[in-house]
Amino acid sequence: MAQITAALVKELREKSGAGMMDCKKALAEVDGNIEEAVDWLRKKGLATAAKKAGRVAADGLVAVASEGTKGAVVEVNAETDFVSRNEQFQGFVSKVASLALSTGGDLDALTASEYEGGKSVADTLTNLVATIGENMSIRRTSVLEVSSGAVASYVHNATAPGLGKIGVLVAVESTGDAAKLEAFGKQVAMHVAAVNPLALDRDSVSAEELERERQVLIDQAVASGKPEEIAKKMVEGRIRKYYEENCLLEQTFVIDGENAVGKAAENLGKELGAEVKITGYLRFLLGDGIEKKEEDFAAEVAATLGQ
């Protein structure tokens, strides 16, 4: 058997664009023959997938899955919105969300978990990239859980059940009626999708974020001609308004337009005869924070033609 050197692996990586371990395995399978190794990688779909890996994937789907007191949300990206309507892709994303329920929000654990037929999620994704022809990636995942109560889910503008562009989970802690808690949690999830709160409550607002807001308000008051000491006192009132606008429990509930979300939970608790607390929420917006490259098609064609 030919010796698989680092130089040989490097050469294959440059030719195929595949990962180091895949290149090493390919060379071992074909006794060190570079050209046969390239063919081996192509047959496995690995070379194709690797070549696509450099392309920006900002579209795709967000998926939610929930089982009583636990819920998971994942974002799986692709290059175009067209893929989000592909049934094979949708099936993959739904299955991944279900698997995420048992991986505790750990992305590495999720990609390493078994998908089906002995293949991992990562291997299945690689094959999907080769089949569909676009770069794809599992970008993030997270899990919410309560000891008793419900974790409700909501998907805004769903492409298919549990799949869409915005996915939300809301954790409602209580010993009250599970069905009513689920229904209330879904309403809160709809509120979160629409309003996008900054934090759950005042304690959840970061000190850095709060200090930045306070300083901006002070500077605005001083700029309007107020003495700094008066400006600081004025700011405290505005900070209370800031909490009401940005903290979920203090925001006006979009469902009734009157009560704060926290008050609505309190009212439900009185109805059920058991305290109801919203203990957390998650909101995934597809592509949030991904800088999508704007392509100049004419320039791309000219570059291809060597002009």
Side-chain angles (χ1 to χ4, degrees):
M1 177 180 281
Q3 184 180 2
I4 310 302
T5 64
L8 207 56
V9 172
K10 181 175 181 292
E11 184 180 350
L12 180 57
R13 285 191 71 187
E14 290 172 352
K15 278 181 173 287
S16 67
M20 182 179 70
M21 296 307 295
D22 290 325
C23 287
K24 189 174 180 181
K25 184 176 180 180
L27 288 164
E29 290 287 333
V30 298
D31 201 26
N33 185 297
I34 285 284
E35 297 307 320
E36 289 182 17
V38 170
D39 290 342
W40 187 91
L41 287 166
R42 291 182 64 193
K43 288 174 186 176
K44 297 291 184 181
L46 297 171
T48 306
K51 288 176 182 176
K52 291 178 172 59
R55 304 205 304 237
V56 176
D59 273 296
L61 289 168
V62 170
V64 295
S66 57
E67 288 182 358
T69 57
K70 182 185 288 189
V73 57
V74 299
E75 178 181 350
V76 183
N77 296 130
E79 292 177 63
T80 66
D81 181 62
F82 178 77
V83 171
S84 68
R85 297 187 293 275
N86 179 294
E87 290 185 2
Q88 190 176 6
F89 180 70
Q90 289 179 354
F92 173 78
V93 179
S94 291
K95 178 73 177 287
V96 168
S98 296
L99 292 171
L101 284 167
S102 60
T103 54
D106 187 314
L107 186 58
D108 290 337
L110 176 59
T111 56
S113 61
E114 184 177 345
Y115 186 82
E116 60 184 28
K119 287 187 176 181
S120 69
V121 169
D123 288 340
T124 304
L125 181 61
T126 297
N127 291 336
L128 197 60
V129 169
T131 301
I132 293 179
E134 284 196 10
N135 182 29
M136 301 173 197
S137 65
I138 302 173
R139 183 187 180 202
R140 52 181 173 157
T141 180
S142 197
V143 168
L144 272 184
E145 189 170 6
V146 292
S147 56
S148 62
V151 174
S153 63
Y154 170 71
V155 172
H156 186 63
N157 285 345
T159 305
L163 302 171
K165 304 298 184 184
I166 299 176
V168 179
L169 296 176
V170 170
V172 183
E173 187 92 44
S174 179
T175 57
D177 181 85
K180 290 187 177 181
L181 294 171
E182 173 76 24
F184 174 69
K186 184 169 183 178
Q187 289 182 329
V188 177
M190 293 170 71
H191 172 101
V192 170
V195 180
N196 190 20
L198 176 69
L200 176 67
D201 53 23
R202 297 187 181 199
D203 291 340
S204 302
V205 178
S206 73
E208 181 183 354
E209 187 74 32
L210 187 60
E211 184 54 37
R212 184 186 302 118
E213 181 67 17
R214 179 175 276 109
Q215 192 57 55
V216 167
L217 293 173
I218 290 173
D219 291 346
Q220 287 175 346
V222 170
S224 70
K226 299 288 189 298
E228 187 168 347
E229 287 306 309
I230 294 176
K232 287 181 178 179
K233 290 179 181 178
M234 289 173 58
V235 162
E236 292 313 308
R238 293 183 183 180
I239 287 292
R240 285 193 296 274
K241 183 69 173 175
Y242 172 81
Y243 283 135
E244 291 171 7
E245 291 176 349
N246 292 281
C247 296
L248 173 60
L249 298 184
E250 298 191 35
Q251 290 176 333
T252 301
F253 197 14
V254 296
I255 302 301
D256 66 23
E258 296 179 4
N259 294 301
V261 174
K263 181 64 175 177
E266 184 182 324
N267 291 342
L268 178 62
K270 291 176 182 177
E271 177 189 328
L272 299 180
E275 185 182 17
V276 174
K277 292 179 65 177
I278 299 168
T279 58
Y281 72 92
L282 293 168
R283 182 183 188 273
F284 277 21
L285 169 65
L286 179 68
D288 189 24
I290 298 176
E291 185 175 346
K292 192 170 183 179
K293 184 180 178 183
E294 296 295 330
E295 300 289 352
D296 185 334
F297 185 68
E300 185 179 333
V301 172
T304 303
L305 295 174
Q307 297 175 2

